[in-house]
Amino acid sequence: MDIAFIGMGIMGKPMAVNLRKAGHTVFVHGRRAVSMVQPVEAGCAGCTTIAEAAAQAEIIIVMVSDTPDVEQVLFGDAGVAQGAKPGSVVVDMSTISPTATRAFAEKLQARGIDMLDAPVSGGDVGAINATLSIMVGGKPEVFERVKPVFEAMGKNIVRVGDIGAGQVAKACNQIVVAVTIEGVAEALTFARKNGVDPARVRDALMGGFAGSRILEVHGKRMLDNDYTPGFKTKLHQKDINIVMQTAKELGLALPGAALVMQHLNALMGTGNGELDSAAVMKIVERESGMER
Ligand code: NAP
């Protein structure tokens, strides 16, 4: 297929390269020309503007940072809406607001362009190895059309529901991850304050009901006091902000997520936005005077 790929960041670059490897024709656009060098070396065609890439494609993938960025890419000057042909499909794989997603889809539909939201989980490793989990919202027939494209980038590909449902699933993912990080941080701090080795506690918990990927991966980062990312605090804060904004729109109480939001805010405020979000542990420790 002819595919446009907008956003050459940590995730976008390897995803575009994997599409090329699968035999698709890929037109890439990165805001900074230097970000297109590697994908172009891998056989993708570099485009100066977003509209230029979109005009040549039947499927237009967007992988940028936040809700306002997706809006700018879609509807800004020389953006997707100015280039895309009626009958093409926009696939937004960024993690953004489900409410804004539905509004974007409506505006595109008025121009004869379909949209899927398809945020991912699995990190840069999943993007490089084409093993991402992809959570999709949109019409079933549009999903079927794009499915072979998803299969070149991911493994667990689920159409969750109508437009916005992929972003809702991703928000659910981020609630579980954030609240579990908080629980693991509190448990390991509780162990240490009791004079019990938190590493041994983690070993003991791994096989039981408290066992999880978060206890395994993030728990290890906490024990090592090494918060090399991973998934950066600033991105986790963005995602929990999406959760809290949506909860506000719906009149929904999410006290667990709200509490972790405060700890992510405190991490950002202490200059730790680039650390892995397992660094929530630092705030938990600081609150009880247990800094290491
Ligand atoms: P990233 O490395 O910061 O890349 C974002 C890319 O988007 C950058 O190349 C940036 O351009 C471009 N961009 C941002 N705003 C733009 C705009 N207004 N117009 C044009 N281009 C714009 O981020 P990432 O890690 O690839 O993440 C992308 C998305 O995937 C985010 O929504 C993130 O939450 C989600 N995600 C990330 C991970 C992960 O582990 N990293 C995992 C799952 C989901 P510049 O290079 O010029 O800044």
Side-chain angles (χ1 to χ4, degrees):
M1 289 192 200
D2 291 340
I3 302 169
F5 205 115
I6 315 302
M8 296 287 103
I10 291 176
M11 300 295 283
K13 247 187 266 185
M15 290 163 75
V17 169
N18 283 332
L19 290 173
R20 179 69 201 119
K21 279 188 196 155
H24 299 288
T25 303
V26 187
F27 301 91
V28 295
H29 172 81
R31 186 161 57 174
R32 292 168 303 113
V34 65
S35 66
M36 291 189 279
V37 169
Q38 189 206 343
V40 166
E41 278 172 6
C44 300
C47 297
T48 317
T49 68
I50 296 168
E52 181 193 333
Q56 303 180 74
E58 51 197 302
I59 292 173
I60 301 146
I61 299 177
V62 180
M63 190 54 161
V64 294
S65 310
D66 202 351
T67 308
D69 304 309
V70 173
E71 183 166 29
Q72 194 187 350
V73 164
L74 294 182
F75 305 110
D77 279 349
V80 168
Q82 290 186 8
K85 297 179 285 238
S88 56
V89 181
V90 167
V91 181
D92 178 29
M93 303 190 78
S94 331
T95 302
I96 68 160
S97 151
T99 314
T101 294
R102 294 185 197 106
F104 297 161
E106 227 171 86
K107 271 177 88 171
L108 289 170
Q109 194 70 75
R111 298 164 191 261
I113 301 163
D114 273 307
M115 178 170 171
L116 298 176
D117 54 308
V120 304
S121 165
D124 58 332
V125 174
I128 292 164
N129 296 335
T131 54
L132 291 167
S133 287
I134 308 180
M135 303 155 233
V136 188
K139 294 176 196 157
E141 64 277 17
V142 181
F143 173 65
E144 288 305 323
R145 192 175 151 198
V146 179
K147 208 170 168 194
V149 174
F150 289 140
E151 283 165 351
M153 298 183 284
K155 283 266 176 291
N156 184 30
I157 301 153
V158 178
R159 181 185 167 270
V160 184
D162 294 333
I163 189 76
Q167 295 296 354
V168 170
K170 174 72 188 188
C172 293
N173 185 79
Q174 297 304 72
I175 295 171
V176 173
V177 171
V179 173
T180 311
I181 285 175
E182 174 73 28
V184 169
E186 290 185 12
L188 297 182
T189 306
F190 180 82
R192 192 155 69 88
K193 188 76 174 175
N194 274 282
V196 175
D197 181 357
R200 306 284 293 171
V201 168
R202 175 174 162 276
D203 289 345
L205 263 51
M206 284 292 284
F209 271 176
S212 70
R213 288 281 290 156
I214 304 293
L215 181 66
E216 186 189 337
V217 178
H218 298 73
K220 179 78 167 62
R221 288 173 190 160
M222 293 173 193
L223 291 174
D224 295 347
N225 209 11
D226 178 358
Y227 301 110
T228 309
F231 189 65
K232 289 179 184 173
T233 294
K234 66 178 184 188
L235 286 180
H236 215 149
Q237 189 205 35
K238 167 189 72 96
D239 293 354
I240 297 299
N241 190 39
I242 290 169
V243 167
M244 297 318 299
Q245 276 295 329
T246 310
K248 186 179 168 200
E249 288 162 18
L250 297 170
L252 183 68
L254 297 178
L259 183 143
V260 190
M261 184 74 191
Q262 300 310 311
H263 282 176
L264 291 169
N265 288 350
L267 267 180
M268 293 294 290
T270 46
N272 291 310
E274 297 296 322
L275 296 185
D276 188 87
S277 63
V280 155
M281 176 62 128
K282 281 178 167 294
I283 305 298
V284 170
E285 288 171 338
R286 188 169 303 165
E287 282 172 346
S288 294
M290 292 186 65
E291 296 98 324
R292 283 174 283 171

